[in-house]
Amino acid sequence: MTDYALSNAWQQARQRLALLEAELDPATRRHILDLGVRPGWHCAEVGAGGGSIAHWLCHTVGPTGRVLAIDIDPSLVAVDAPPDLEILAHDLTRDALPDGQFDLVHARWLVHHLPDIDDAIGRLINALKPGGVLLLEEPDFYPVHAGQRPLYTQFMDALTRAVVAATGRDCYWARDLPQRLTDLGLSDVDAAAEVAVLRGAGPLAQFYRLSGQQARERVVAGGYMAAEAYDAALSLLDDPRLWAFGACTVAAWGRRPPL
């Protein structure tokens, strides 16, 4: 993860993550509540980012519960954190997670950045107690190709390719997430998906614009898109006449079988 394209150390990272949280948090909270989280649960939030879900989980599980927020750079999750939140700097590609300790392990928009998806998911499964539940939410960018604005489509494809280039991955695999959880031995697997609709100058458009600004040098240097066209696409995201699809977020969950 040393070549992560969207580092939390960037000066506008907090703003970028806040925009993503505003878009995704309602569905995430709904999924977690539907999975039965309650006071006393032990939860791990992996790739905690700006910390909104980790902070919310602290209030949800209460003083008898436990929440461990994990990130390769946990500086943002620590801002205004509840006093009982545990925070761990951790690289999922190299560092071991606590084994068999959690009723819930959740990761959102994380695994697609990692070079070995099955290894990463296996590590997350091993952190669950027997009967504990894993909830993963990952983006699949196939909807962007259904739109009628070629410049926007080209930009999104270039951006996503550049962001995951160091891992050799792409951002068009999350549709397979339920099958992966099944193949890795989880029980009671289920899934849901939501396609985001984007309007220029709106919060989601600004998230992609900031992501594009942060990754611009990488996109242009890698030859994914010419600088002039890329900058024109960034400007297009500020145009309220733009309507387009964002990513489809695929949520999949399952339980670690009893020993």
Side-chain angles (χ1 to χ4, degrees):
M1 293 292 286
T2 56
D3 197 31
Y4 181 42
L6 300 172
S7 167
N8 288 353
W10 188 50
Q11 61 183 358
Q12 292 179 273
R14 174 61 268 182
Q15 180 184 359
R16 190 184 74 85
L17 289 173
L19 290 165
L20 185 63
E21 289 168 347
E23 176 70 22
L24 300 181
D25 277 6
T28 296
R29 293 180 184 185
R30 185 173 68 250
H31 291 314
I32 290 174
L33 290 172
D34 286 347
L35 290 169
V37 67
R38 58 185 179 269
W41 272 34
H42 289 199
C43 304
E45 177 70 9
V46 185
S52 63
I53 293 299
H55 296 183
W56 172 77
L57 278 170
C58 277
H59 297 294
T60 303
V61 303
T64 61
R66 176 194 181 197
V67 179
L68 177 63
I70 299 168
D71 202 284
I72 195 168
D73 176 3
S75 57
L76 296 180
V77 73
V79 176
D80 298 324
D84 52 347
L85 178 65
E86 300 176 40
I87 298 174
L88 177 66
H90 178 278
D91 183 343
L92 187 61
T93 66
R94 299 183 304 181
D95 304 328
L97 287 168
D99 186 54
Q101 293 191 17
F102 298 102
D103 302 291
L104 169 71
V105 173
H106 172 247
R108 185 176 73 189
W109 283 44
L110 169 69
V111 178
H112 67 287
H113 292 292
L114 307 179
D116 189 330
I117 288 173
D118 288 340
D119 176 73
I121 297 176
R123 290 170 181 259
L124 298 175
I125 292 172
N126 288 338
L128 291 169
K129 298 176 181 179
V133 63
L134 174 65
L135 169 62
L136 297 181
E137 298 175 276
E138 286 293 317
D140 192 318
F141 282 84
Y142 75 86
V144 304
H145 293 279
Q148 303 297 314
R149 303 297 288 268
L151 181 61
Y152 168 78
T153 302
Q154 184 184 4
F155 162 79
M156 291 291 283
D157 192 53
L159 174 61
T160 55
R161 289 169 61 201
V163 164
V164 299
T167 67
R169 299 216 46 76
D170 63 43
C171 290
Y172 300 93
W173 67 272
R175 67 199 75 175
D176 190 43
L177 194 52
Q179 185 65 56
R180 286 180 181 270
L181 296 191
T182 301
D183 292 345
L184 288 168
L186 292 186
S187 62
D188 302 323
V189 173
D190 208 342
E194 294 190 16
V195 175
V197 178
L198 171 152
R199 185 179 186 181
L204 185 58
Q206 292 307 301
F207 164 75
Y208 286 127
R209 195 186 202 288
L210 286 174
S211 300
Q213 288 175 334
Q214 186 173 4
R216 183 184 184 281
E217 181 178 350
R218 190 177 293 241
V219 171
V220 174
Y224 298 103
M225 191 171 180
E228 183 176 354
Y230 192 79
D231 291 339
L234 291 175
S235 296
L236 178 63
L237 288 166
D238 288 330
D239 185 346
R241 295 171 296 178
L242 171 68
W243 287 94
F245 290 125
C248 173
T249 298
V250 180
W253 55 90
R255 295 191 179 275
R256 185 177 187 180
L259 296 176

